[in-house]
Amino acid sequence: MALTQITAGGLADDSVDSDAYVNTSIDAAHLASGVAHGWKRLTSANADDDTEIDLETGIGATYDIYMIQGFKIKPVGNNATFKCRLKIDGSYKTDSSYSINVAIRDGTSTSYVAVASTTYDYIHVSGSATGSGSVETLEFWLYFYNPTATNTRKGIHGRTLQQYSGGGLRAGYPSGFYNDSAAALTGVRFLFSGGNIDSGHFALYGLVS
């Protein structure tokens, strides 16, 4: 296969999309279309003994689908539950109006256990308590959709992976929504049930389709 060559001198800012490769050149619109699709990072944060981490920048009507990724997350104290709350109608909701479900599976078992409720004051992210040992860590991927809609309840779902000392691991599949309002979602807050977030990287992405 012959290689496509971009001609010397570069491309004009306002190049017209010819909708085709022409000889050995490629127009700006094709270059843009090649990089504009997929996940775009909107904001990120690194925890350092923080009470909580809020991700808000970029949440709006631009994207229909959003993903939050977190990894190398540890609590200051040992064995704390990792959780999140949603910013609905301009404030982070702390009342007992979250419906949640998280399925948990140990690496040594093929069966699941679950935590479920319609009266939590947070969404259960980690399948179980997270340790603070040197080899212990929590990773997660969470998704939410169409946050500016005002006719649907807002929630998240995803998966988690926890590693424990001694080589143990636990997989979790959390989901939950705030059931007392259909107002827009504009932020997600992460925190532990007890103590601060010692370390961890958090990033928010929007999907360009």
Side-chain angles (χ1 to χ4, degrees), residues 149-198:
T150 57
N151 60 349
T152 58
R153 297 169 179 171
K154 307 305 182 298
I156 61 170
H157 70 88
R159 59 191 177 98
T160 65
L161 176 65
Q162 294 172 265
Q163 299 182 49
Y164 296 94
S165 58
L169 65 88
R170 179 167 289 166
Y173 301 90
S175 60
F177 63 90
Y178 185 73
N179 57 31
D180 198 38
S181 174
L185 185 158
T186 55
V188 181
R189 170 173 290 171
F190 295 95
L191 64 161
F192 275 109
S193 58
N196 289 355
I197 307 172
D198 181 52

Side-chain angles (χ1 to χ4, degrees), residues 56 84 142 160 176 204:
E56 300 182 3
C84 74
L142 297 174
T160 65
L204 170 68

Side-chain angles (χ1 to χ4, degrees), residues 29-182:
H30 275 111
L31 284 177
S33 67
V35 299
H37 298 277
W39 292 106
K40 179 180 179 181
R41 188 170 70 176
L42 306 176
T43 189
S44 63
N46 291 309
D48 184 11
D49 196 17
D50 291 297
T51 304
E52 56 206 16
I53 293 291
D54 294 347
L55 298 177
E56 300 182 3
T57 302
I59 298 176
T62 302
Y63 309 98
D64 290 327
I65 305 173
Y66 292 80
M67 174 179 68
I68 301 175
Q69 181 186 37
F71 57 89
K72 295 184 178 179
I73 298 166
K74 295 178 182 289
V76 170
N78 196 31
N79 294 330
T81 299
F82 194 62
K83 56 189 184 179
C84 74
R85 291 186 171 119
L86 305 180
K87 189 175 184 180
I88 305 288
D89 200 20
S91 65
Y92 284 100
K93 300 305 181 184
T94 61
D95 60 283
S96 300
S97 295
Y98 290 94
S99 293
I100 68 101
N101 185 293
V102 54
I104 307 160
R105 186 177 71 180
D106 267 314
T108 57
S109 174
T110 58
S111 61
Y112 288 88
V113 296
V115 177
S117 176
T118 58
T119 57
Y120 261 42
D121 64 358
Y122 60 88
I123 295 174
H124 212 307
V125 176
S126 61
S128 61
T130 302
S132 58
S134 60
V135 298
E136 295 181 291
T137 186
L138 168 68
E139 302 176 8
F140 70 82
W141 298 262
L142 297 174
Y143 303 86
F144 60 93
Y145 308 90
N146 200 12
T148 59
T150 57
N151 60 349
T152 58
R153 297 169 179 171
K154 307 305 182 298
I156 61 170
H157 70 88
R159 59 191 177 98
T160 65
L161 176 65
Q162 294 172 265
Q163 299 182 49
Y164 296 94
S165 58
L169 65 88
R170 179 167 289 166
Y173 301 90
S175 60
F177 63 90
Y178 185 73
N179 57 31
D180 198 38
S181 174

